[in-house]
Amino acid sequence: MEDEVAYYSAVSSDHEEDPYSEIGLNSVASGMPIDGYVEYNYEVAYCLYVKFATRAEILGKLTFCMYFYHCGRQVSTSHCLLIHVGRKGRGPGQFGGWIQHFTVSHDGKTLYACDVFNKRIQLIDLANRKPIHAFPSNMAGFKFQARGISVLRNGNLCINCVGFDGTSRIGIFTPEGRVVSNFGQGTIGSSCAMTVDSMDRITVMDRRRMQITTCSRDGKILGTFHPQIQGDVLRLGSDNRGRIIVPNHLDNSVIVFEPNGRAVYKIKPAYGSGHSFKYPGAVACDADDNILVCDVGNHKVTQFSSEGVFRTTLLSQKQHGLWRPHDIVATPQGNVLLSEVSQTYIKIFCFSARRY
């Protein structure tokens, strides 16, 4: 069996089945207003908020008591408490489709979500699950799709503003929606993914040039490099050291880069190890720099150490009812926010990953 952590080598040509093939991940939707937007062909119904009411540690693992509220019908199961806080629509707290990009405030109390279909950014109070307000995804007449959002150290929002050819840029907004600045037009290219590290360094992926660019929050270019990855890079992550974490979806691996572009190591668990990937989606780091990987095809979230060593299956289909988890955020308070491909909800798992 090969090592679980391979310090950077050539990318393997062996690919597992792509679980997105049936919903058209690799096809561009002709009806979408922005070139490069990927459409997922399924019906969307509700936006859900998940909060765990109780917490217990049994044999080294946390278990919960869960009730699902799905389409107005309560179904009891195990593990967590799922509370419905919205539905498909255009009103406050309602979303036009799958929530793919979201983050939380530094205190963990406010959710910031990109409502792409309704062309706005929504703020939701997580304590009472009520909408605070929303602001439109445009600036000075420039309409964009919000394809990434992070909170800067000063509390402002950094948004990946995707536009037509050559118009994509990074926008800095106040939480109230006032535009502070924007930059990167003509230099960041067709930005398909973004991450912001703890030092406010903003990193974006240009899907056409397959180039990663890092800049400061005032727009100064700090460096660029080519990650040598085939196929689209749909998500990026970063740790507290400023390293850039790139899921290589088609290679079923995750590569960690230094900010200067030097590849440090590649996580590619051996097939049959019990934690090999089947289309890794978004990645995130917790407060201890453990790497959390959404394993879309295996319906689970896997945790690796900061050096890429497997630690545990954090969330799974069997224990937590996951189905194609794709986007993930880890908060300093120890919570994990999660969205899935085939639903329009956000789940919040209220436990500390440090216990694993």
Side-chain angles (χ1 to χ4, degrees), residues 66 68 77-79 295-301 313-325 340 347:
M66 174 171 68
F68 281 94
T77 179
S78 60
H79 308 310
D295 190 342
V296 181
N298 288 318
H299 313 293
K300 63 184 180 181
V301 173
T313 297
L314 196 65
L315 301 166
S316 67
Q317 181 180 20
K318 181 179 180 180
Q319 291 187 314
H320 306 94
L322 297 194
W323 182 256
R324 290 184 175 173
E340 299 170 322
K347 292 178 177 179

Side-chain angles (χ1 to χ4, degrees), residues 53-252:
T54 61
R55 181 163 56 175
E57 188 168 356
I58 301 177
L59 300 177
K61 294 184 179 180
L62 299 178
T63 57
F64 302 89
C65 181
M66 174 171 68
Y67 296 90
F68 281 94
Y69 287 82
H70 179 66
C71 299
R73 181 168 56 90
Q74 181 173 325
V75 182
S76 94
T77 179
S78 60
H79 308 310
C80 65
L81 179 65
L82 193 69
I83 302 175
H84 168 256
V85 294
R87 62 185 185 277
K88 183 179 179 181
R90 298 181 179 275
Q94 299 175 350
F95 293 84
W98 170 27
I99 309 171
Q100 299 182 56
H101 305 277
F102 52 88
T103 190
V104 295
S105 57
H106 296 308
D107 60 10
K109 296 180 180 179
T110 304
L111 170 70
Y112 304 97
C114 299
D115 187 1
V116 175
F117 293 88
N118 286 327
K119 302 176 181 178
R120 63 187 177 182
I121 309 298
Q122 293 214 56
L123 282 68
I124 296 176
D125 186 331
L126 293 179
N128 57 29
R129 305 179 302 280
K130 292 183 178 180
I132 300 172
H133 71 89
F135 60 89
S137 53
N138 63 65
M139 60 177 88
F142 169 62
K143 297 181 179 180
F144 59 86
Q145 283 191 351
R147 310 295 295 175
I149 185 168
S150 294
V151 180
L152 299 174
R153 289 183 293 180
N154 63 6
N156 284 339
L157 304 178
C158 177
I159 300 176
N160 180 26
C161 306
V162 178
F164 289 104
D165 292 350
T167 63
S168 294
R169 63 194 75 176
I170 299 299
I172 308 298
F173 297 77
T174 66
E176 294 74 32
R178 180 177 62 85
V179 179
V180 176
S181 64
N182 70 89
F183 49 85
Q185 181 178 357
T187 59
I188 65 172
S190 180
S191 52
C192 59
M194 181 191 76
T195 185
V196 179
D197 67 20
S198 59
M199 293 165 278
D200 281 355
R201 291 183 296 199
I202 304 162
T203 299
V204 295
M205 179 74 191
D206 179 351
R207 68 184 297 268
R208 294 190 175 174
R209 291 180 291 184
M210 292 303 293
Q211 175 178 285
I212 289 177
T213 300
T214 299
C215 57
S216 64
R217 71 180 185 186
D218 59 3
K220 180 182 178 181
I221 301 297
L222 302 177
T224 63
F225 68 92
H226 295 272
Q228 304 300 318
I229 291 176
Q230 296 180 350
D232 282 343
V233 173
L234 303 177
R235 299 294 185 268
L236 295 173
S238 53
D239 64 13
N240 290 320
R241 306 184 205 179
R243 300 187 302 183
I244 302 163
I245 305 166
V246 184
N248 189 344
H249 314 294
L250 299 184
D251 184 53
N252 289 316

Side-chain angles (χ1 to χ4, degrees), residues 10-16 230 250-251 266 268:
V11 175
S12 170
S13 60
D14 298 329
H15 303 321
E16 298 290 337
Q230 296 180 350
L250 299 184
D251 184 53
K266 177 167 70 173
K268 188 174 182 179

